[in-house]
Amino acid sequence: MIRVATISDAEAVAALTRAAYAKWVPVIGREPLPMKADHAAFIRDHRVDLLFAGSDLVALLETIQHENDILIENVAVDPRFQKRGYGRKMLAYAEQLAAQAGVGIVRLYTNSLFKENLRLYASLGYEIEREEARNGGVAIYLFKRVP
């Protein structure tokens, strides 16, 4: 089941995000930006969708809708539930949101050192749009056209 988050979900969103991104701290030598985000403000100002398996929160998707695209600001899967297709499901959900909104592009970005993520996005048809120095590393910006 997927539902839109409410402000009462902010703590759970923050906890899931911190757990999901913890594996990247040793890779980049710092906490990735989603670990530091104000998730309550994001829930208030944008859109956060939560994926449940039974009563367990297993994944989330934070998006910002623009005039011509939807930006995935954060997609995270609880480490206990990774490698089961939940990340792919949330990315497909973002594409569905874009189609419903009448925008033809989904965008996202990730750290260049997150090779596992880059392989996943490429396998799903995301293309590199640009690379940019960001926070002491390199951010890779990707996009996918959706029907």
Side-chain angles (χ1 to χ4, degrees):
M1 175 190 87
I2 296 177
R3 72 165 172 82
V4 175
T6 65
I7 200 68
S8 65
D9 295 310
E11 195 172 305
V13 168
L16 188 150
T17 299
R18 290 193 64 74
Y21 282 84
K23 69 181 180 182
W24 299 118
V25 173
V27 174
I28 64 173
R30 63 171 172 76
E31 289 187 342
L33 294 178
M35 292 178 82
K36 302 175 185 181
D38 182 343
H39 298 282
F42 200 94
I43 289 168
R44 184 187 65 239
D45 298 339
H46 302 291
R47 180 179 177 132
V48 179
D49 291 281
L50 307 176
L51 174 63
F52 290 86
S55 62
D56 293 319
L57 173 60
V58 299
L60 61 87
L61 176 73
E62 296 180 344
T63 56
I64 301 172
Q65 184 172 332
H66 297 118
E67 185 176 333
N68 298 315
D69 64 27
I70 285 185
L71 172 66
I72 298 173
E73 186 68 23
N74 180 18
V75 59
V77 178
D78 183 309
R80 297 172 301 155
F81 296 94
Q82 290 178 1
K83 306 294 185 202
R84 298 186 197 181
Y86 292 121
R88 290 175 183 269
K89 182 177 184 86
M90 295 312 282
L91 291 166
Y93 190 73
E95 294 167 20
Q96 180 183 337
L97 291 175
Q100 290 171 349
V103 297
I105 297 176
V106 175
R107 287 191 161 82
L108 58 82
Y109 58 94
T110 193
N111 190 296
S112 65
L113 297 178
F114 297 178
K115 302 299 184 191
E116 180 181 331
N117 291 0
L118 289 167
R119 281 191 295 276
L120 171 63
Y121 301 141
S123 76
L124 296 174
Y126 284 80
E127 300 175 50
I128 294 176
E129 189 168 31
R130 70 182 193 282
E131 298 181 15
E132 180 179 290
R134 185 171 185 189
N135 298 311
V138 176
I140 307 291
Y141 291 81
L142 301 107
F143 74 98
K144 181 176 181 179
R145 295 188 192 287
V146 294

